[in-house]
Amino acid sequence: MSVYTQLTDDQFATFCQRFGVSFVRAIPITQGIKNSNWFIQTTDDVDGEHSYVFTLFEERPPEDIEKMAVILNQLQGKLPVAAPLALVDSGVKSDADKRYVIHYDNKAITVVPCLAGSHPQQTSQSMCHEIGASLAVLHETLQALQPAEKYGVPLYPWSEVRDREMQFMPGDEAKLMSDIWQSYGNLPLATLPKGLCHLDMFADNTLWNLSLNNSQKGHEHLTGLLDFTEVSVEHYVMDIAITINDFCTIWGDAEQGESVNFDRHKMAAFLQGYESKRTLGADEKRALPVMLAKAAVIFWLLRLNVIHYNRTEGRTGDNIMVKNPDLMKRLAAYHWSHVEKAQDMVFILLDSKKDNQIAGVFSSITQAEQARENLENSNNFVIKEYTLDQLS
């Protein structure tokens, strides 16, 4: 993550001692956009190695980070996560009394063990399959923490950011955002399963044992899941959409014109992996195209919000990293084009026992399925999709 708060070596040493860690050196971690992070080298490390990650959470209140510590302990043993170290000076008598967070200047500090592996520059279909399965395990495992609202942090009020940013957008961008938001609101949200979700499972929040040997490509293995600060109660399909958007998109660098190329084969692999652990409901599958567009809009707004926050707070310097919001805008437009194409579809109910006689024409698959359920001998009826051009 970017480094916003500066600490002295004496401060690092004092904080680390409270976690039972013998501090030698702090190395800034410059990736990311929200928190201040350092690798911690200890007296047990050889030159160039580091055993822990020291995080100062710039925005989340300490009580949210304490919830995160419980979540990580719940996942430990099921997924490759690094749970925060317990404070050694808190005088606790049982595991239930352990404390994992230092409060400093109204901010939270944690120290966690380093996980092996590297951040992937690109993903493969096999990696998408594995991260899909891992996300499903996360969703299933965290169902044990009830009530879920006690452990999840509140969702960010993105509609407020939307209203602020849309005032300054060109008309076509504002319309894109508004159309996607409205389509999301029209989903059957009450029927979609919810629970504790990661909501930031980008490739740079994962670690893998990446092989440099081309003959071993496709055999990468997940070694770490990172950054659980955004865990909230949300629809599982939104968490799926957020993860798909990053893992299944090929992001071109500056020399490639910062291209945005979504790979639907990778998405299919991801969904296959996810459903190997948790089956998606019919409503979730129907909602996914709109969720992909809405998820891209959320991260478009997030990046605009970071720019706004840095500007208003006067945060500048080489250690501040800002991701390009235009990339998420283009991904949102891509997904929305597929939603609009689907909106040009009609669903025709045909009686297979009467030479495919038309029994009804509907604008959505849900309406067609409901109509079929109300018919006698419903198994005799099939639903077929047609574009408006095909009908004409």
Side-chain angles (χ1 to χ4, degrees), residues 198-228:
H198 186 279
L199 300 180
D200 196 20
M201 194 71 79
F202 276 37
D204 60 6
N205 277 332
T206 64
L207 297 171
W208 302 77
N209 65 338
L210 302 173
S211 173
L212 299 178
N213 186 342
N214 288 330
S215 66
Q216 296 180 6
K217 295 296 183 184
H219 297 280
E220 301 89 351
H221 181 65
L222 181 67
T223 60
L225 300 175
L226 310 175
D227 199 350
F228 283 75

Side-chain angles (χ1 to χ4, degrees), residues 68-105:
M68 181 191 72
V70 175
I71 288 169
L72 285 165
N73 277 283
Q74 184 68 29
L75 293 173
Q76 201 165 33
K78 297 286 186 69
L79 292 169
V81 298
L85 298 182
L87 293 167
V88 298
D89 61 358
S90 55
V92 298
K93 298 181 180 180
S94 68
D95 287 347
D97 298 324
K98 285 183 178 179
R99 292 174 52 217
Y100 303 93
V101 176
I102 291 176
H103 293 210
Y104 169 73
D105 195 22

Side-chain angles (χ1 to χ4, degrees), residues 45-323:
D45 294 323
V46 299
D47 289 344
E49 291 186 354
H50 35 74
S51 298
Y52 300 96
V53 173
F54 182 112
T55 300
L56 191 151
F57 295 89
E58 299 288 352
E59 298 179 18
R60 291 293 190 193
E63 54 267 27
D64 286 354
I65 308 308
E66 289 162 0
K67 295 176 184 178
M68 181 191 72
V70 175
I71 288 169
L72 285 165
N73 277 283
Q74 184 68 29
L75 293 173
Q76 201 165 33
K78 297 286 186 69
L79 292 169
V81 298
L85 298 182
L87 293 167
V88 298
D89 61 358
S90 55
V92 298
K93 298 181 180 180
S94 68
D95 287 347
D97 298 324
K98 285 183 178 179
R99 292 174 52 217
Y100 303 93
V101 176
I102 291 176
H103 293 210
Y104 169 73
D105 195 22
N106 296 319
K107 298 176 182 180
I109 289 173
T110 63
V111 173
V112 303
C114 286
L115 295 170
S118 305
H119 299 298
Q121 297 299 311
Q122 295 291 348
T123 62
S124 64
Q125 288 188 31
S126 65
M127 293 169 69
C128 292
H129 186 281
E130 186 170 356
I131 199 66
S134 297
L135 190 66
V137 170
L138 183 149
H139 291 163
E140 295 278 78
T141 302
L142 293 185
Q143 289 177 16
L145 298 179
Q146 295 295 331
E149 288 76 12
K150 175 183 176 181
Y151 299 94
V153 300
L155 292 170
Y156 198 83
W158 292 114
S159 59
E160 296 177 11
V161 182
R162 174 202 63 194
D163 293 343
R164 183 191 72 217
E165 294 295 336
M166 281 180 63
Q167 300 177 62
F168 308 104
M169 288 181 179
D172 58 338
E173 293 185 9
K175 184 178 186 306
L176 172 66
M177 184 168 289
S178 178
D179 287 348
I180 292 173
W181 211 281
Q182 181 177 351
S183 185
Y184 167 81
N186 292 335
L187 293 174
L189 297 173
T191 70
L192 299 176
K194 300 179 74 172
L196 290 168
C197 295
H198 186 279
L199 300 180
D200 196 20
M201 194 71 79
F202 276 37
D204 60 6
N205 277 332
T206 64
L207 297 171
W208 302 77
N209 65 338
L210 302 173
S211 173
L212 299 178
N213 186 342
N214 288 330
S215 66
Q216 296 180 6
K217 295 296 183 184
H219 297 280
E220 301 89 351
H221 181 65
L222 181 67
T223 60
L225 300 175
L226 310 175
D227 199 350
F228 283 75
T229 59
E230 304 296 332
V231 173
S232 304
V233 176
E234 179 57 288
H235 298 106
Y236 292 136
V237 68
M238 173 58 83
D239 208 13
I240 290 167
I242 288 170
T243 310
I244 285 175
N245 272 348
D246 191 60
F247 266 84
C248 303
T249 301
I250 302 169
W251 307 100
D253 57 25
E255 294 180 355
Q256 298 166 318
E258 293 193 308
S259 58
V260 178
N261 298 298
F262 189 77
D263 189 325
R264 306 193 79 83
H265 296 292
K266 288 184 178 181
M267 180 171 71
F270 177 98
L271 293 172
Q272 184 182 39
Y274 187 92
E275 291 207 86
S276 71
K277 302 296 183 180
R278 174 183 173 268
T279 302
L280 289 169
D283 284 345
E284 290 180 293
K285 291 178 180 179
R286 285 192 286 268
L288 182 57
V290 173
M291 286 291 191
L292 289 167
K294 175 70 182 300
V297 163
I298 291 299
F299 280 83
W300 176 11
L301 288 171
L302 184 152
R303 294 176 182 185
L304 290 171
N305 199 44
V306 169
I307 294 171
H308 170 81
Y309 183 74
N310 286 345
R311 182 171 59 246
T312 56
E313 295 294 317
R315 289 165 32 161
T316 60
D318 293 339
N319 285 336
I320 305 301
M321 181 178 126
V322 178
K323 295 184 178 180

